[in-house]
Amino acid sequence: NAGVTQTPKFRVLKTGQSMTLLCAQDMNHEYMYWYRQDPGMGLRLIHYSVGEGTTAKGEVPDGYNVSRLKKQNFLLGLESAAPSQTSVYFCASSYSRQGNTEAFFGQGTRLTVV
Amino acid sequence: AQTVTQSQPEMSVQEAETVTLSCTYDTSESDYYLFWYKQPPSRQMILVIRQEAYKQQNATENRFSVNFQKAAKSFSLKISDSQLGDAAMYFCAYEGGSEKLVFGKGMKLTVNP
């Protein structure tokens, strides 16, 4: 059972570089989310999607873009990385809203921007 | 906007004893959900327990139970018979009409043998 898989698990970027984080889920979930976790801050929602082809902004969307071209994949892009984007990124998915069904999380991607 | 507050950044408990983690939240909604998530050193976020606001009965899951006080906007987690494997970061979270989770800042639980 793969569940939610994030690629890569670690990455170091130079300021100004771009990269894409991939989240893949094999549970046929409609909802997918991208969070960032910073020390002492808990998890904050970046972007989310309630179905294939849809995306919406979360609490901290600036500097990020997302795409949900296939139901099982949710991509998070950084066009021009900044040191403030150094964080641990988590992807999650759920069948419907998280109040009704359990959300499953990936194991995180640790990103360092130097 | 909804906020979730975990006022204790760290707690410790002796193995086999009981510990209570506190959480308060602020909302004007009447229908919402509350959660406790566990994050061990592996970083994996694991759902511990979920409470629906319209249910008066407190949720329980084996050694984990909550004390949900809707009027006081309080949602504490009690861990009974603490085990070494309970050591982790614990996050309280809220989901209301926006269908987006709002997390507290977390609390580090240490379990002493």
Side-chain angles (χ1 to χ4, degrees):
Chain A
N1 293 333
V4 178
T5 303
Q6 292 182 228
T7 308
K9 291 186 171 44
F10 303 91
R11 184 74 184 268
V12 178
L13 281 181
K14 294 183 179 180
T15 298
Q17 286 185 320
S18 63
M19 79 163 292
T20 300
L21 281 67
L22 170 63
C23 177
Q25 52 93 4
D26 61 0
M27 297 171 282
N28 200 35
H29 284 171
E30 292 291 338
Y31 288 53
M32 296 188 75
Y33 311 82
W34 276 108
Y35 295 90
R36 62 177 288 173
Q37 183 179 24
D38 302 295
M41 293 295 292
L43 275 73
R44 292 182 292 169
L45 184 64
I46 304 171
H47 287 280
Y48 66 104
S49 168
V50 299
E52 181 179 321
T54 75
T55 63
K57 294 180 179 180
E59 181 184 354
V60 288
D62 294 343
Y64 306 94
N65 56 76
V66 288
S67 63
R68 183 100 182 267
L69 299 179
K70 294 182 178 180
K71 186 177 184 178
Q72 64 268 33
N73 294 338
F74 195 30
L75 280 63
L76 177 71
L78 286 73
E79 291 186 349
S80 179
S84 61
Q85 294 177 305
T86 294
S87 188
V88 179
Y89 292 85
F90 286 94
C91 176
S93 73
S94 59
Y95 184 72
S96 68
R97 64 177 295 180
Q98 291 175 77
N100 293 335
T101 59
E102 181 176 353
F104 292 85
F105 284 78
Q107 289 197 298
T109 296
R110 181 176 293 278
L111 175 66
T112 302
V113 183
V114 298
Chain B
Q2 291 81 20
T3 59
V4 176
T5 301
Q6 294 178 252
S7 57
Q8 303 154 299
E10 292 191 43
M11 292 186 74
S12 62
V13 63
Q14 290 296 126
E15 194 175 6
E17 293 189 346
T18 296
V19 64
T20 299
L21 286 60
S22 63
C23 173
T24 59
Y25 58 94
D26 186 25
T27 184
S28 58
E29 296 176 317
S30 59
D31 187 19
Y32 50 87
Y33 300 87
L34 296 163
F35 309 82
W36 278 100
Y37 278 90
K38 170 186 178 181
Q39 186 180 42
S42 67
R43 286 201 317 232
Q44 185 76 48
M45 293 288 288
I46 303 165
L47 178 65
V48 175
I49 202 164
R50 178 174 69 99
Q51 174 79 42
E52 299 170 53
Y54 69 87
K55 288 187 176 180
Q56 294 186 338
Q57 186 174 7
N58 290 325
T60 63
E61 288 287 342
N62 301 314
R63 297 184 295 107
F64 298 88
S65 61
V66 299
N67 182 6
F68 174 48
Q69 301 288 331
K70 191 172 184 178
K73 298 180 182 175
S74 170
F75 183 61
S76 60
L77 174 69
K78 184 172 82 171
I79 306 175
S80 303
D81 186 25
S82 296
Q83 300 177 358
L84 295 177
D86 295 333
M89 288 290 294
Y90 285 82
F91 293 92
C92 180
Y94 168 102
E95 186 202 84
S98 69
E99 300 188 356
K100 294 178 285 188
L101 275 182
V102 177
F103 285 85
K105 293 183 178 182
M107 193 223 68
K108 181 179 180 180
L109 179 66
T110 300
V111 181
N112 299 313

